[in-house]
Amino acid sequence: MKRTNELIVGLAMVAVIAAVTWALFAVGDNMTPGVTPFSQDVYQLHMVILGIVTVIGVLVFAAMFTSIYLHRKSKGAEAAQFTHSTKAEITWTVIPILILVVMAIPATRVLIDMEDTSGAELNIKVTGYQWLWGYEYIEDEIQFYSALDRDSALARQIGSGIDPAEVENYLLEVDNRVIVPTDTRIRFLLTSDDVIHSWWVPDLGWKRDAIPGMVNEAWTLIEEPGVYRGQCTELCGKDHGFMPVVIEAVPPEEYRAWVDSQKAGMAASTTSGAVADSGPASP
């Protein structure tokens, strides 16, 4: 009868803790799945590890609460008197090792994939400044700066009279977006001109520090067209909160048209600058 009561209470504890845990997952926030194959791998790894630690937590707390309830002093329970158990020590050593191995195998695969930036079809250099981003498309020889857009810049000023809630994508919009082609393996080369920044777009599944004098690498492959937003996540100075990142993924043919338009604009700017520098014509 005693064993039966312990089993009933234990199962009840498991059910209650499992229900509470499920409710927290159902109503709480979770990690974004992202829009790239790598971000999907990270999300799946997150869910696997989360599932393992949740099961461990439910079992451990159920056993603890069951023991507290059934073996309390008010019922006359007395603590067992022993100082050593070889079986218990082997069990609580071997089982955690096996759990860690099960978690390490998929985690190692994802980490190796994260660091493999080979086979890139497009290379983009990202440089952090106080407080904006500079982008250089190495193959296409395009360069531009990307700063907080005018609407957000005005609304953030004290006494502007503009309600930030009425500004679309407040603090998450830029004047020049990073245009990239879909279904293309892209390598980002990240550095900084002044202090440490951190370039982060959650939908890509990773972030990288931009460090002066160093070049960090990362890669992505976006399968679906769309606009994906992020921010600098390293405290880099007084305007740290005003360094958004906006990536717009477009089909490859649309990307080539954008490249051609950018090059045409750069050529026109160079030509007009040369004419201005030449001064007035001789009479």
Side-chain angles (χ1 to χ4, degrees):
M1 180 62 71
K2 182 178 179 181
R3 291 292 182 184
T4 302
N5 290 338
E6 290 181 352
L7 179 61
I8 293 173
V9 173
L11 291 176
M13 290 293 182
V14 169
V16 170
I17 296 174
V20 172
T21 304
W22 177 85
L24 292 174
F25 284 142
V27 302
D29 294 329
N30 199 355
M31 184 177 180
T32 176
V35 296
T36 69
F38 175 73
S39 67
Q40 295 287 339
D41 289 343
V42 172
Y43 179 78
Q44 292 302 324
L45 175 63
H46 160 73
M47 295 305 295
V48 168
I49 302 302
L50 183 62
I52 291 174
V53 299
T54 299
V55 170
I56 293 173
V58 169
L59 294 178
V60 168
F61 280 103
M64 184 176 68
F65 291 141
T66 300
S67 180
I68 291 173
Y69 178 77
L70 292 177
H71 305 291
R72 59 192 186 274
K73 186 177 181 179
S74 62
K75 292 187 65 175
E78 295 183 2
Q81 302 297 318
F82 64 91
T83 58
H84 176 74
S85 173
T86 302
K87 291 182 180 180
E89 291 176 359
I90 293 176
T91 299
W92 69 48
T93 301
V94 172
I95 292 178
I97 290 176
L98 294 177
I99 293 173
L100 289 175
V101 170
V102 169
M103 294 192 295
I105 293 173
T108 302
R109 181 182 62 81
V110 172
L111 288 173
I112 292 174
D113 190 30
M114 176 189 293
E115 299 301 326
D116 182 12
T117 61
S118 62
E121 302 168 76
L122 176 65
N123 291 277
I124 301 176
K125 180 182 177 182
V126 182
T127 305
Y129 300 92
Q130 289 180 311
W131 288 270
L132 50 79
W133 297 101
Y135 296 96
E136 179 182 352
Y137 291 65
I138 296 176
E139 287 84 3
D140 295 315
E141 299 181 344
I142 296 174
Q143 298 184 50
F144 60 86
Y145 295 104
S146 179
L148 185 68
D149 77 308
R150 180 176 175 80
D151 291 340
S152 291
L154 290 174
R156 79 177 183 88
Q157 301 296 327
I158 297 176
S160 66
I162 302 174
D163 183 2
E166 296 180 357
V167 178
E168 187 176 5
N169 296 312
Y170 177 61
L171 300 185
L172 290 174
E173 187 56 270
V174 295
D175 53 1
N176 292 309
R177 293 179 175 180
V178 181
I179 308 299
V180 298
T182 56
D183 299 316
T184 302
R185 189 175 174 90
I186 304 167
R187 176 166 50 198
F188 290 94
L189 308 169
L190 301 106
T191 188
S192 172
D193 186 64
D194 36 52
V195 300
I196 298 177
H197 301 275
S198 189
W199 198 85
W200 179 51
V201 178
D203 285 315
L204 302 188
W206 53 264
K207 68 177 178 179
R208 282 290 187 276
D209 283 346
I211 304 172
M214 293 183 60
V215 177
N216 282 330
E217 294 184 340
W219 69 273
T220 193
L221 190 156
I222 302 175
E223 297 177 315
E224 296 294 332
V227 177
Y228 310 107
R229 305 179 188 278
Q231 295 172 298
C232 175
T233 56
E234 187 70 45
L235 186 57
C236 57
K238 71 180 184 65
D239 283 350
H240 156 71
F242 311 117
M243 288 183 64
V245 178
V246 180
I247 290 183
E248 183 174 353
V250 299
E253 58 275 9
E254 190 174 331
Y255 170 76
R256 293 315 311 174
W258 175 81
V259 169
D260 293 340
S261 67
Q262 291 292 308
K263 288 184 175 181
M266 293 171 61
S269 176
T270 301
T271 302
S272 62
V275 172
D277 291 340
S278 65
S282 301

